[in-house]
Amino acid sequence: MSGARIGPVGAVLRHAVLLGAAALALMPFLWMLATSLKPQNEIFLSEIRWWPQRLHAAENYAKAFERAPLARFLLNGVIVTGTIFLAQIAVALPAAYALAKIRFLGRELVFALVLFAILIPPQAIAVPLFLLFHQLGILDTYAALIAPFTISVFGIFLMRQFFMTVPDDLVDAARMDGISEFGIVWRVMLPTAIPAVTAFGIFSVVAHWNDYFWPLIAVNSRELFTPPLGVVAFRNEEAGTDYGPLMAAATVIIAPLILAFLIAQRRFIEGITLTGMK
Amino acid sequence: MAEIALGEIHKRFGETIVLNGVSLEIGEGEFVALLGPSGCGKSTLLRIIAGLEQADSGTVRIGGRDMADLPPAARNLAMVFQSYALYPHLSVRANMMVPLRMRDLTGFERLPLIGALAPGRREKLAVMAARVEMAAETLKIGHLLDRKPGQLSGGQRQRVALGRAMVREPAAFLMDEPLSNLDAALRVHMRTEIAELHRALGATFVYVTHDQVEAMTMSSRIAVMLDGEIVQIGAPAEIYEDPRDLRVAEFIGSPRINVIEAVADAAGAPVAGHGATLGGRFAAAPGAALRVGIRPEHLALAEPARAPLAGRVRHRENLGAEMLLHVAVPGIATPVVARVAPQAARALGPEAQVGLVFDPADLRVFDANGRRVAALARPERSRAYG
């Protein structure tokens, strides 16, 4: 409708603006990719060259894997983000179900506390958490990387909003059929909430895969490094100014995220529109 | 199959009293409609029977057993919901299997993958599948078994919901406005089907509705609920013919019963505001305020001069088989509606002056509080006027 009103010139203009903005956002990624394919002497040329004259990809990527335990970092990333996500779901779904579908005294107060907890920035509690984990003696372990994020108040909020839209009749029908309350959460609510869970999954995985702040505080041992720590360690200690392998490592580290997003893209957008969070 | 007995059920949500001492006996195999406007507590009552809601006080007995503290599933009832409440991620077949799986399989047998190792599970599943097939056959949804609820029309979903209720052969069926999401034509059709299903199964049905037509056409007895109380319970004809409360009289019947403000004379006959004696004799003290109800179909056209009610036709509604005349009678606040044969009314021009006559035996008289006032001597069945 609006396209017809604007006319072909307007349409072209509109797309030009959108393409420009997209190019701006993509530029660093493309530059990273291009750099990861170049030999050292081509990286610092004064001219912009998107494709190297001498392809150095194999060497750069081989070096990246050789100089740092990239595979180990990736594995750590998978273990940490995967466990965090599963734990968040295990907590958020029952909590959201209770907040949305079970009447109990103080429910509104609990929900207000959930909203309040969303306001607390993770940096604010980093030091107390560090001290607590020190007392517990779990610093520099997977537990230290995972434990602070197992309860996601944002996840509880998001799922609660979604569950509010599920008709009460469905819950009552399940009760009539003899499904227990926990059974309802996992066998009725979860399947209907897949789009919302996927959307939350992407938020959660991206946030914790890319998290640099907390892992930097919580772990020291190189074998526990998550991908962002790995990249940084890579640069500081070994690669120095060797940007080819560094960019190769960076590419390797963000590749899983991009793949995951492409796979879940449709569900992601569905989930965001379903919960009205545009 | 079982009878249901409710004793003095009280329920309040916060300050609001939802149910105020409701008692009700539902016989085995009976079809009872809980009829009332929205907010009268009928759905809450149904949910208390189902166990989805706890009464503050009172007893629920099903098949003679006290249901206190029994969870919904242990009561062996099936419920059909207004929104159908089918599991959206399961096929029709799987939807109908759920109640059977939950009842007949052990927790171990329901486990994915390793549950298949349980001895006897395969036989149980075969029995369930056969039941589902049978129910689907009865409801003519056999060809839909592999579809998801999202691919079905409203009527088909309604049938699946009925099927899911049928498979476990419950002690009673509880239905919460099951037809109100359907379009008008389908509603009429499903009305017949549910009534037939009740005859075929011979089971106890408790049917909540705000639609008097559904209650009148399907049920063996109607319990009219208003403001958290059962005001009257009886066969549909009895509720219609012999309402014990003005609210019942007004709620049942479409178009609504005409209500004329009147005062009792010395003989107990009601005299309308415009001075006409309406006839009959009722147990009312002279001078008592009365509200006289007369159903539109009990009014007939007559010469204005000789009729107790006379006025101008304000509006005509032609329904094909009948015509509704809205007659403005001087001295009566709201227009009096008469249901007459179209042939008789066709000759009338707009704003025509008409008279309306009736048999005093058809008058339903209520006192100022809306309670029914008995007729003293049953007047003879004759047109008193005209």
Side-chain angles (χ1 to χ4, degrees):
Chain A
M1 186 187 77
S2 59
R5 191 158 44 83
I6 291 171
V9 180
V12 168
L13 212 68
R14 195 165 43 171
H15 280 87
V17 169
L18 289 176
L19 276 176
L24 217 58
L26 269 178
M27 197 71 77
F29 287 94
L30 294 178
W31 195 248
M32 175 189 74
L33 266 179
T35 309
S36 76
L37 304 176
K38 290 174 183 174
Q40 181 76 350
N41 58 359
E42 273 190 67
I43 290 173
F44 291 107
L45 286 181
S46 56
E47 61 179 300
I48 292 174
R49 193 180 282 171
W50 286 104
W51 192 254
Q53 282 176 331
R54 193 166 60 84
L55 195 63
H56 210 252
E59 291 86 341
N60 281 346
Y61 281 85
K63 248 188 208 168
F65 276 95
E66 207 174 276
R67 285 196 188 167
L70 260 196
R72 175 79 204 200
F73 297 160
L74 288 174
L75 179 68
N76 286 344
V78 169
I79 291 172
V80 170
T81 50
T83 315
I84 287 176
F85 177 58
L86 290 181
Q88 285 176 335
I89 290 298
V91 174
L93 256 63
Y97 171 72
L99 286 172
K101 295 293 176 201
I102 298 177
R103 278 201 305 263
F104 58 90
L105 196 69
R107 182 173 83 163
E108 299 314 311
L109 178 71
V110 173
F111 185 57
L113 287 176
V114 167
L115 289 179
F116 176 70
I118 292 179
L119 302 178
I120 301 173
Q123 287 80 2
I125 53 167
V127 172
L129 267 181
F130 179 83
L131 294 175
L132 174 70
F133 284 12
H134 174 70
Q135 294 288 323
L136 294 174
I138 57 165
L139 282 174
D140 207 21
T141 60
Y142 279 124
L145 287 171
I146 293 164
F149 307 109
T150 46
I151 299 174
S152 163
V153 278
F154 175 67
I156 295 174
F157 171 71
L158 189 76
M159 297 317 297
R160 184 259 187 192
Q161 295 308 90
F162 185 85
F163 286 170
M164 292 294 278
T165 66
V166 175
D168 289 347
D169 282 358
L170 191 63
V171 176
D172 286 336
R175 288 185 185 139
M176 294 298 292
D177 286 345
I179 304 178
S180 68
E181 294 297 305
F182 271 103
I184 292 174
V185 173
W186 302 117
R187 315 227 326 249
V188 180
M189 299 305 261
L190 176 61
T192 60
I194 288 296
V197 170
T198 313
F200 173 63
I202 292 190
F203 281 127
S204 163
V205 168
V206 169
H208 296 111
W209 184 272
N210 289 337
D211 188 18
Y212 177 62
F213 177 74
W214 179 251
L216 186 65
I217 294 173
V219 295
N220 261 327
S221 318
R222 204 173 150 86
E223 56 273 18
L224 291 175
F225 275 11
T226 55
L229 282 186
V231 171
V232 175
F234 197 95
R235 190 190 71 178
N236 291 346
E237 290 162 24
E238 307 198 23
T241 49
D242 199 355
Y243 280 99
L246 173 60
M247 289 301 145
T251 307
V252 168
I253 275 162
I254 65 162
L257 282 189
I258 292 177
L259 276 179
F261 180 77
L262 288 179
I263 292 166
Q265 188 188 22
R266 248 186 75 206
R267 298 256 176 181
F268 178 56
I269 290 162
E270 237 173 59
I272 286 189
T273 43
L274 269 176
T275 50
M277 295 204 20
K278 289 199 188 168
Chain B
M1 323 298 116
E3 76 276 3
I4 298 173
L6 306 176
E8 281 295 307
I9 304 264
H10 287 264
K11 175 76 182 173
R12 55 164 70 208
F13 290 126
E15 290 298 297
T16 325
I17 296 173
V18 182
L19 294 172
N20 194 10
V22 172
S23 298
L24 177 63
E25 305 259 337
I26 299 169
E28 202 172 312
E30 212 180 356
F31 191 133
V32 169
L34 298 177
L35 175 66
S38 54
C40 72
K42 56 192 192 300
S43 286
T44 307
L45 188 62
L46 195 73
R47 291 168 58 81
I48 286 173
I49 299 175
L52 293 169
E53 205 84 64
Q54 293 302 316
D56 296 338
S57 66
T59 55
V60 177
R61 301 176 75 83
I62 298 172
R65 264 180 76 205
D66 191 3
M67 291 287 131
D69 303 323
L70 269 189
R75 301 184 179 203
N76 191 25
L77 302 169
M79 191 148 168
V80 178
F81 296 88
Q82 181 179 353
S83 62
Y84 321 129
L86 301 175
Y87 305 114
H89 59 292
L90 297 179
S91 68
V92 168
R93 188 191 306 277
N95 258 288
M96 290 169 68
M97 286 279 262
V98 168
L100 296 177
R101 287 175 66 94
M102 294 311 296
R103 188 187 64 185
D104 297 340
L105 293 186
T106 61
F108 178 72
E109 287 171 331
R110 286 200 303 270
L111 287 178
L113 301 176
I114 51 169
L117 302 174
R121 181 175 181 270
R122 187 187 290 258
E123 290 72 29
K124 285 188 187 176
L125 281 178
V127 172
M128 292 180 202
R131 279 225 191 151
V132 168
E133 297 278 348
M134 245 173 63
E137 196 68 30
T138 313
L139 293 163
K140 304 182 198 80
I141 49 171
H143 59 295
L144 303 174
L145 281 176
D146 294 314
R147 298 220 195 141
K148 291 272 174 70
Q151 299 164 297
L152 305 180
S153 69
Q156 290 169 332
R157 283 182 216 184
Q158 188 56 69
R159 275 165 220 256
V160 176
L162 282 172
R164 186 175 62 179
M166 273 167 62
V167 284
R168 66 163 166 191
E169 295 171 359
F173 287 79
L174 310 178
M175 305 203 177
D176 191 1
E177 311 228 6
L179 303 185
S180 52
N181 278 3
L182 301 178
D183 63 56
L186 202 52
R187 202 150 52 207
V188 173
H189 179 73
M190 287 304 287
R191 227 154 61 194
T192 322
E193 292 220 349
I194 290 181
E196 271 170 13
L197 192 66
H198 172 244
R199 269 194 296 279
L201 298 176
T204 312
F205 275 47
V206 186
Y207 188 103
V208 162
T209 181
H210 65 269
D211 184 340
Q212 45 147 328
V213 181
E214 283 176 21
M216 295 288 287
T217 51
M218 292 193 281
S219 53
S220 37
R221 277 196 304 158
I222 298 176
V224 183
M225 286 190 71
L226 293 164
D227 301 327
E229 287 174 32
I230 293 182
V231 184
Q232 188 171 359
I233 176 156
E238 186 189 330
I239 298 272
Y240 187 79
E241 298 285 336
D242 196 15
R244 260 180 260 150
D245 193 290
L246 181 61
R247 293 173 298 170
V248 176
E250 286 186 317
F251 193 75
I252 305 271
S254 174
R256 254 160 70 127
I257 192 167
N258 296 297
V259 178
I260 300 166
E261 304 287 341
V263 175
D265 68 7
V271 182
H274 61 293
T277 302
L278 297 174
R281 283 181 62 219
F282 298 89
L290 296 176
R291 314 183 75 183
V292 180
I294 174 101
R295 297 227 178 253
E297 65 270 27
H298 292 145
L299 292 168
L301 288 172
E303 276 296 307
R306 295 192 298 159
L309 299 172
R312 284 190 188 283
V313 176
R314 273 289 140 83
H315 182 57
R316 295 189 303 179
E317 287 177 275
N318 191 346
L319 304 181
E322 63 200 22
M323 179 101 73
L324 300 180
L325 295 179
H326 296 241
V327 180
V329 179
I332 296 176
T334 49
V336 174
V337 180
R339 182 192 299 237
V340 298
Q343 299 85 320
R346 212 165 285 148
L348 298 172
E351 299 287 316
Q353 184 78 20
V354 296
L356 298 170
V357 293
F358 50 86
D359 181 339
D362 289 328
L363 293 182
R364 302 289 176 262
V365 177
F366 305 88
D367 66 15
N369 297 323
R371 268 188 294 276
R372 179 75 177 276
V373 177
L376 281 180
R378 192 169 170 77
E380 281 169 38
R381 272 260 161 209
S382 66
R383 286 265 139 79
Y385 300 91

